[in-house]
Amino acid sequence: MVGVSGRARTRRLLSAAALSLFAENGYDSTTVDQIAAAAGVARRTFFRYFPTKEDAVFPDHDSTLVKVSLVLEAEGDGEEPITVVCRAIREVLRMYAAEAEVSVARYRLLRQVPALREREIAVVSRYERLFTKYLLAHPSASASPDSPDAPLMAEVSAAAVVAAHNHVLRRWLRGGGTGDAMAQLDHALRAVRDGLVDPRRRMSDRRVVVTVTQAGSGVDEVLDAVRHALN
């Protein structure tokens, strides 16, 4: 019986063989038999892993969706829900970055085959739906869960996080999968998070420092008093 690591290895072999043949012969001209032969397995083995040759292009999203769900479930006490969602979407980029060469080949293929682009849209929508559901169940501390706009804001927030991820991912893939994609994603997510968190909540996180100095104090003395208060 093939172990878990063996199954994962076979999935990767089949996916890599499919992408290679699609690039060489074209998506429509490549058959399941050819993919199986290139991976060194029987035709029936292919169907143990993928229902169709189209599915071989997207081998890791099911397991990644589970990882994303686990991140959402492991939220910290008092964390802003959008922060948890931003942390969860990093698992998706981590999946692509783990095999940069394969991810780049997949991206180039998707640009050539409309049917595969449609499948990608459907896959991405699963993450968006998961985030929307989470945000509906975990409203922001600065928002009322009974607000009629709560469903709208949950959906908009989820879409914004996914859009930020996809923007960074496409740019990284167009660049050949080089560079620190995770750092770029973190930067994009900070911008999204800052735009979505209620401004009043952000203001409440700021400190107001009051110092008292004698009349006639010089600028240096005032600055020293402020520094002392801050420390």
Side-chain angles (χ1 to χ4, degrees):
M1 182 177 179
V2 180
V4 175
S5 60
R7 287 188 60 84
R9 184 164 51 252
T10 301
R11 285 178 67 87
R12 286 195 296 269
L13 283 172
L14 285 167
S15 181
L19 288 171
S20 177
L21 289 171
F22 292 156
E24 183 179 348
N25 303 328
Y27 174 75
D28 292 328
S29 300
T30 301
T31 66
V32 169
D33 287 334
Q34 291 172 326
I35 296 172
V41 300
R43 186 176 191 271
R44 63 179 179 275
T45 300
F46 176 92
F47 289 110
R48 290 175 186 166
Y49 292 87
F50 304 109
T52 67
K53 67 179 184 179
E54 181 183 78
D55 291 288
V57 180
F58 305 95
D60 301 317
H61 281 290
D62 286 341
S63 60
T64 301
L65 199 67
V66 172
K67 293 178 182 177
V68 169
S69 299
L70 291 175
V71 173
L72 296 178
E73 292 171 5
E75 60 176 299
D77 292 337
E79 274 195 297
E80 190 70 33
I82 192 65
T83 299
V84 180
V85 171
C86 287
R87 185 163 64 247
I89 195 71
R90 296 176 92 253
E91 293 296 329
V92 184
L93 186 62
R94 188 172 286 114
M95 172 195 69
Y96 285 100
E99 295 184 287
E101 187 175 336
V102 173
S103 296
V104 170
R106 182 187 296 123
Y107 172 71
R108 290 171 178 166
L109 175 66
L110 264 56
R111 295 181 66 186
Q112 300 170 6
V113 185
L116 294 179
R117 285 202 301 272
E118 292 173 6
R119 175 62 182 275
E120 182 187 37
I121 293 171
V123 168
V124 169
S125 69
R126 296 168 64 190
Y127 296 109
E128 199 168 314
R129 289 196 300 271
L130 178 63
F131 293 148
T132 300
K133 182 179 179 180
Y134 172 81
L135 291 171
L136 278 172
H138 301 78
S140 170
S142 60
S144 170
D146 299 325
S147 168
D149 293 331
L152 169 64
M153 292 310 300
E155 191 167 341
V156 168
S157 299
V161 170
V162 172
H165 168 272
N166 292 345
H167 170 79
V168 170
L169 176 62
R170 283 193 297 268
R171 188 169 59 182
W172 179 71
L173 292 172
R174 285 196 296 266
T178 59
D180 191 342
M182 201 63 73
Q184 296 171 30
L185 177 62
D186 288 341
H187 174 79
L189 291 176
R190 279 194 297 272
V192 168
R193 188 169 58 246
D194 289 346
L196 291 172
V197 174
D198 190 279
R200 291 171 299 178
R201 177 69 178 276
R202 294 202 298 272
M203 286 296 294
S204 69
D205 292 335
R206 297 180 181 178
R207 289 189 298 165
V208 176
V209 177
V210 177
T211 63
V212 179
T213 61
Q214 294 182 348
S217 297
V219 174
D220 290 339
E221 292 177 280
V222 173
L223 291 176
D224 286 340
V226 172
R227 292 191 188 98
H228 179 74
L230 289 174
N231 290 333

